[in-house]
Amino acid sequence: GAGVSQSPSNKVTEKGKDVELRCDPISGHTALYWYRQSLGQGLEFLIYFQGNSAPDKSGLPSDRFSAERTGGSVSTLTIQRTQQEDSAVYLCASSSSVGEQFFGPGTRLTVL
Amino acid sequence: GIQVEQSPPDLILQEGANSTLRCNFSDSVNNLQWFHQNPWGQLINLFYIPSGTKQNGRLSATTVATERYSLLYISSSQTTDSGVYFCAVGDRGSTLGRLYFGRGTQLTVWP
């Protein structure tokens, strides 16, 4: 597609439920990134994919967070047993081998 | 990880004024980007500038990699320039990999 797309744009869930967030990168971009933005923490890195592999997952805050990428394209970020501190905007970015990252519009997650 | 400091944290201008935003970083980098986050939260790419100088309309940027800083210049500011400006850098090891973000500069331009 023309840009990075993410779905859903907004997600409200109850504490303890699982959620899945989706990212469609720019066509042809081999690298894909997840970040999150919250008021107190700024923009935090979560995980980086090169193709379907994740050479850097050091930013995942706990084992409740996982991500996968299939076919070198779409990625899904899953949060299990959501907590209120998981509330944030989750941002996806993609890049070609040049390295410039382009961001999607984000998914706003609210955990009640 | 790399530390990124942006200054000033807040900037209030009247329309037509010029401004300079600064980004200092703690280590050598292979990637440096400037973003504008609009009121809807979208991060808009302004510059990919690991070194050198670039210009795009009223905006220009300079990165002095050897001295570990970058500057973003906004000339003849407009109300639509309001928002948060982020500087982000990547490790020197590769052009790919995570970005480290500064805390941003909140710019408000009054008519």
Side-chain angles (χ1 to χ4, degrees):
Chain A
V4 179
S5 60
Q6 294 186 243
S7 61
S9 54
N10 280 285
K11 177 72 177 178
V12 179
T13 190
E14 294 179 348
K15 178 181 171 180
K17 300 284 190 184
D18 297 353
V19 296
E20 284 190 354
L21 312 179
R22 177 188 168 103
C23 172
D24 276 277
I26 292 171
S27 179
H29 279 190
T30 57
L32 185 147
Y33 309 81
W34 285 98
Y35 298 84
R36 72 176 178 182
Q37 185 174 26
S38 53
L39 278 176
Q41 300 298 321
L43 271 147
E44 302 174 89
F45 165 79
L46 297 177
I47 187 169
Y48 152 52
F49 286 93
Q50 179 60 42
N52 293 333
S53 302
D56 186 356
K57 52 179 87 169
S58 62
L60 295 177
S62 76
D63 57 9
R64 296 185 296 105
F65 288 72
S66 62
E68 65 174 11
R69 189 180 185 195
T70 55
S73 182
V74 171
S75 176
T76 303
L77 177 69
T78 301
I79 309 173
Q80 295 179 309
R81 305 181 302 281
T82 51
Q83 305 294 311
Q84 288 183 330
E85 62 263 28
D86 300 334
S87 294
V89 177
Y90 288 80
L91 294 162
C92 177
S94 70
S95 75
S96 68
S97 58
V98 171
E100 183 177 6
Q101 296 186 22
F102 295 86
F103 282 77
T107 293
R108 182 175 297 277
L109 175 66
T110 303
V111 182
L112 301 177
Chain B
I2 302 175
Q3 306 301 309
V4 182
E5 294 183 359
Q6 291 187 243
S7 59
D10 297 280
L11 188 57
I12 300 173
L13 300 173
Q14 190 131 33
E15 212 167 20
N18 303 328
S19 61
T20 301
L21 282 59
R22 186 175 180 103
C23 172
N24 293 334
F25 43 95
S26 62
D27 204 348
S28 301
V29 299
N30 256 346
N31 182 348
L32 189 146
Q33 294 184 240
W34 283 98
F35 297 92
H36 175 212
Q37 189 165 42
N38 67 19
W40 297 271
Q42 176 74 53
L43 281 169
I44 298 166
N45 289 41
L46 297 178
F47 294 101
Y48 173 73
I49 188 166
S51 64
T53 297
K54 290 186 178 180
Q55 180 155 8
N56 184 2
R58 296 182 295 105
L59 273 58
S60 63
T62 295
T63 297
V64 184
T66 53
E67 296 188 21
R68 300 181 185 170
Y69 73 90
S70 183
L71 302 173
L72 177 69
Y73 305 96
I74 304 174
S75 65
S76 304
S77 57
Q78 301 175 359
T79 56
T80 52
D81 295 332
S82 295
V84 184
Y85 289 79
F86 287 103
C87 170
V89 303
D91 280 323
R92 63 172 174 239
S94 171
T95 56
L96 299 178
R98 64 177 296 177
L99 289 176
Y100 296 84
F101 280 81
R103 301 290 287 191
T105 292
Q106 172 77 57
L107 174 65
T108 303
V109 182
W110 294 97

